[in-house]
Amino acid sequence: MRAVRAAVAWLDEHQGTGREQQTIRILKLTEEAGEAARAWIGATGQNPRHAVTHSVDDVAAELADTAITALVAIESLGCDANQVMADCAAKILARIGRSPAGVD
């Protein structure tokens, strides 16, 4: 989470804080998800005009960008991204009948 908090601090310093910046950081998540989708389309050759343009590693990198962007948005809301993710993971584990102990 050090990178996430550093990114938030850098964004706050260069772009400011407040509701507008929170909104932009949440909207940025949509942009990143679109890049992941575009990479998947490219990796599977689903655009006949371009054939295969991306690798699975490209898709994974775009998904990682999307995940980091979501964590930055969470922290920008003033929430602890670690805690929010832990709470979310616990809900998922409970839903699928798994114990959260020892699971990352």
Side-chain angles (χ1 to χ4, degrees):
M1 287 298 177
R2 186 173 55 161
V4 170
R5 290 193 180 105
V8 171
W10 184 83
L11 288 167
D12 287 352
E13 180 182 333
H14 288 87
Q15 297 178 332
T17 60
R19 185 69 69 190
E20 182 179 341
Q21 288 306 317
Q22 290 170 328
T23 301
I24 290 168
R25 293 174 196 181
I26 292 167
L27 292 175
K28 178 71 174 160
L29 182 59
T30 304
E31 178 189 15
E32 293 297 338
E35 291 176 11
R38 181 177 44 240
W40 183 245
I41 289 167
T44 58
Q46 292 302 303
N47 185 336
R49 292 182 299 124
H50 300 290
V52 175
T53 58
H54 292 76
S55 69
V56 170
D57 288 342
D58 295 329
V59 176
E62 293 296 347
L63 290 169
D65 283 346
T66 304
I68 294 293
T69 300
L71 295 172
V72 166
I74 291 168
E75 287 277 337
S76 294
L77 294 174
C79 300
D80 180 343
N82 278 326
Q83 188 62 54
V84 171
M85 294 301 292
D87 292 346
C88 184
K91 284 193 306 187
I92 291 167
L93 289 170
R95 191 176 307 137
I96 63 173
R98 302 288 174 119
S99 169
V103 177
D104 291 334

